[in-house]
Amino acid sequence: LDQKNEASTMASMSSTLPRKSAHVALASVSVAVVFYKVLIWRARSRARKTVERVQDLIEPGGPLINIHAKEIRERILKRSIRRASTWMTLSAKKAQPMMGQVGGASIHKKPVLSLEREYILKPVLTDHRGLREIAFYEAMEAVAKSPSSPSYSNFLKRNQPKNRFVILHKLGELFDTVALACAMILQDKVVVSSEAAVKSAWRKVRREAEMLHTLCKFTPPYYGIVGLKAPSPDSPFGVTDETHLLLRDLTANYSRPCVMDLKIGTTTYEPDAPSEKKNKEYGKYSQQGLLGFRIVGMRIYNPGHQDADESGYQSFGKQYGRDLSTKDKVKEALKLFLGAGVGQSSKRGGSRTNESSSSQSEAAAAAAAAAAEEVRVKSTSNIFLQVRLIQKWFEDNKALLFCASSLLVVYEGNASCEAPDVTTVKMIDFGRVRRNHHKGDQGYLHGLTTLKALLGEIIQDEEKRLAELGASK
């Protein structure tokens, strides 16, 4: 009987063991499946959040920053206030209205101010354009030393809320990193597509950073904002009527600066502007789309002219530029602007007794040729070369659109000074810059191309005229 019971027990145990093994195997498989699903869920969730976070940095077609995000507005304004405080050793109270400003002479009747000759204070608009212009300058400062994607992304991104459970947060980050790696090895479609979207977004961030880095040399030196101690809670964009941009005065090192303001682009309004705004801008100058630029104003040193002011300058306002109805008239206006000080160069050839007779003859010939100029050829050539450099930047630009931006052209009107051929060409007015990835700004490029072509024609015409004049003698 005992033998029968033992045999029965053994038989029962042998039948139970396979069932337990099956249960264990089934449980293991179930745990593995659940773990896999959790892993993939975490990987996909992390991938989607990463895509959203990176794409939030570069809203397609929008301004460089999210102007409606309070934390971004305040961070940029605080940064620009600190920047000015480190540069500013002078009192803004000493600033005086800038003499001889051309183009947009004032904003809401507030003039641009001159501060100790080397600096200007430009009034900041209290609407979105003012904040966007500050943000544009700060964006260039963020990449001024190096076109680093991380430094630029730190400038663009929102502040992340601090997590109180630091250790748990780090463990979660580690788990998500492992989950993403596993999902990529398994080629999960959602994670793979998200990874491609992240790489594409980062390429755009890097492209913007690189373009802004190279653009720095074509814009005025920027030192922050003054007149604002902290972001104003009473203003929707944090700036007040007393806020000013602190910029380098581009005319500071000139004896008699001749200045021209050109509004560049085939359109001077943003793509999403209302029809009333578009019609208003089109009505200002119907040739804007054809030429790609218009003369907003210019100031020429011409003391012998009957219309010159007490400082010897002729000034031409906005209406003068709007009345230039043909390309030929625009060319003549450019020639007029580039003719300051012609004939003065003969005074510089003076007697130099210690020079050889051949050198004196060459100097006399050069002085005679300069005296016969109707256009300052060397200055015009220098302007031409600087416009060409900016044009090259826009040929490479596939990231940014500049609406209603201007080009400021400066050259020395005193042809008898020590450095008569010094010129400056800089981009100004950045209150309507926005993204336009893969397209860039063809309208601005067209305006620069037209301007460069006209400058080239003026140089060729003048050189041809001087050659014919020399042959006739």
Side-chain angles (χ1 to χ4, degrees):
L1 182 61
D2 291 339
Q3 289 178 349
K4 286 183 179 181
N5 288 337
E6 186 177 351
S8 175
T9 302
M10 292 295 293
S12 175
M13 289 178 63
S14 62
S15 62
T16 303
L17 285 173
R19 285 200 298 270
K20 285 185 176 180
S21 299
H23 288 317
V24 170
L26 181 61
S28 299
V29 170
S30 299
V31 170
V33 169
V34 170
F35 181 77
Y36 171 78
K37 288 185 175 181
V38 170
L39 195 75
I40 294 300
W41 171 73
R42 288 294 298 247
R44 290 177 176 178
S45 176
R46 178 61 180 269
R48 290 192 184 102
K49 288 179 180 178
T50 303
V51 172
E52 291 172 0
R53 189 162 57 247
V54 177
Q55 289 183 340
D56 185 55
L57 298 178
I58 47 170
E59 179 187 354
L64 288 188
I65 63 162
N66 185 346
I67 59 177
H68 301 293
K70 181 180 178 181
E71 68 271 22
I72 296 179
R73 291 200 310 267
E74 292 190 349
R75 185 177 74 241
I76 288 174
L77 290 175
K78 288 177 180 178
R79 181 180 298 187
S80 59
I81 292 168
R82 286 196 304 271
R83 188 181 308 282
S85 67
T86 60
W87 280 97
M88 199 73 172
T89 58
L90 304 171
S91 173
K93 295 179 180 179
K94 297 180 180 179
Q96 298 294 326
M98 186 179 183
M99 296 296 294
Q101 166 136 21
V102 300
S106 63
I107 298 178
H108 298 321
K109 306 302 181 183
K110 296 185 66 178
V112 173
L113 303 177
S114 180
L115 185 62
E116 296 294 327
R117 185 166 174 75
E118 292 187 11
Y119 306 97
I120 63 165
L121 298 177
K122 177 185 176 182
V124 174
L125 289 167
T126 57
D127 62 15
H128 66 97
R129 292 170 294 175
L131 176 64
R132 287 168 67 180
E133 183 160 30
I134 295 170
F136 182 81
Y137 278 110
E138 285 295 331
M140 287 194 293
E141 289 296 319
V143 295
K145 294 181 179 179
S146 172
S148 167
S149 297
S151 63
Y152 186 54
S153 63
N154 288 336
F155 167 78
L156 294 173
K157 72 180 181 182
R158 296 171 182 260
N159 297 328
Q160 296 297 319
K162 293 183 179 180
N163 197 306
R164 291 187 301 172
F165 306 100
V166 179
I167 296 177
L168 290 177
H169 178 70
K170 288 185 176 180
L171 289 173
E173 290 282 321
L174 178 61
F175 183 79
D176 286 350
T177 302
V178 173
L180 281 171
C182 294
M184 287 297 295
I185 292 172
L186 297 171
Q187 290 293 288
D188 180 76
K189 291 183 178 179
V190 174
V191 174
V192 170
S193 63
S194 297
E195 181 71 12
V198 169
K199 288 182 177 179
S200 175
W202 274 117
R203 280 195 295 270
K204 292 177 181 178
V205 172
R206 185 168 59 251
R207 187 183 303 120
E208 276 189 22
E210 291 171 350
M211 295 309 300
L212 288 169
H213 175 71
T214 55
L215 185 65
C216 291
K217 57 189 173 187
F218 303 126
T219 60
Y222 159 78
Y223 307 107
I225 60 173
V226 298
L228 188 70
K229 294 183 178 179
S232 172
D234 300 325
S235 171
F237 296 99
V239 295
T240 67
D241 289 332
E242 301 303 318
T243 309
H244 289 75
L245 286 168
L246 179 61
L247 302 169
R248 174 68 62 84
D249 184 355
L250 298 177
T251 68
N253 296 322
Y254 289 83
S255 170
R256 296 290 185 269
C258 296
V259 185
M260 178 167 61
D261 186 334
L262 300 169
K263 189 71 69 177
I264 309 290
T266 52
T267 58
T268 55
Y269 49 81
E270 298 190 70
D272 55 358
S275 56
E276 295 82 0
K277 174 66 175 177
K278 293 179 179 180
N279 293 334
K280 179 182 177 182
E281 289 297 315
Y282 179 80
K284 289 180 179 178
Y285 189 54
S286 60
Q287 301 300 307
Q288 188 86 34
L290 176 64
L291 299 176
F293 74 90
R294 73 172 183 265
I295 297 174
V296 179
M298 58 186 191
R299 188 169 184 255
I300 311 167
Y301 183 61
N302 191 4
H305 198 278
Q306 61 180 5
D307 295 332
D309 60 21
E310 59 184 13
S311 299
Y313 284 93
Q314 275 184 277
S315 296
F316 300 83
K318 295 179 180 180
Q319 194 57 47
Y320 172 80
R322 294 174 184 177
D323 291 339
L324 303 173
S325 57
T326 65
K327 191 174 184 179
D328 288 337
K329 290 183 179 180
V330 173
K331 182 178 176 180
E332 289 302 313
L334 292 174
K335 288 177 65 176
L336 174 63
F337 172 71
L338 296 165
V342 290
Q344 295 180 19
S345 300
S346 58
K347 300 175 184 178
R348 289 187 288 123
S351 59
R352 299 178 182 177
T353 56
N354 58 342
E355 292 185 357
S356 65
S357 58
S358 60
S359 298
Q360 290 180 1
S361 299
E362 290 175 2
E373 284 183 347
E374 293 181 354
V375 171
R376 298 277 295 282
V377 175
K378 287 186 179 181
S379 297
T380 305
S381 298
N382 290 340
I383 293 170
F384 176 92
L385 292 174
Q386 292 181 65
V387 170
R388 175 68 188 99
L389 290 174
I390 300 175
Q391 181 194 31
K392 179 63 172 62
W393 186 90
F394 274 91
E395 290 172 350
D396 297 335
N397 169 43
K398 303 298 178 188
L400 301 173
L401 181 68
F402 294 79
C403 303
S405 182
S406 293
L407 204 66
L408 197 71
V409 181
V410 187
Y411 77 97
E412 180 56 70
N414 183 6
S416 62
C417 69
E418 292 183 0
D421 303 318
V422 177
T423 60
T424 301
V425 180
K426 298 288 185 183
M427 294 174 61
I428 59 172
D429 300 336
F430 303 110
R432 292 190 178 94
V433 179
R434 57 197 298 154
R435 292 187 174 86
N436 198 28
H437 284 287
H438 307 299
K439 296 180 181 179
D441 196 333
Q442 298 304 310
Y444 205 114
L445 177 59
H446 175 69
L448 292 172
T449 302
T450 305
L451 175 61
K452 184 171 73 72
L454 290 174
L455 291 172
E457 290 177 13
I458 291 170
I459 294 169
Q460 290 179 356
D461 292 347
E462 183 65 6
E463 288 178 341
K464 181 180 178 181
R465 190 188 67 81
L466 291 174
E468 293 174 349
L469 184 62
S472 65
K473 293 182 179 179

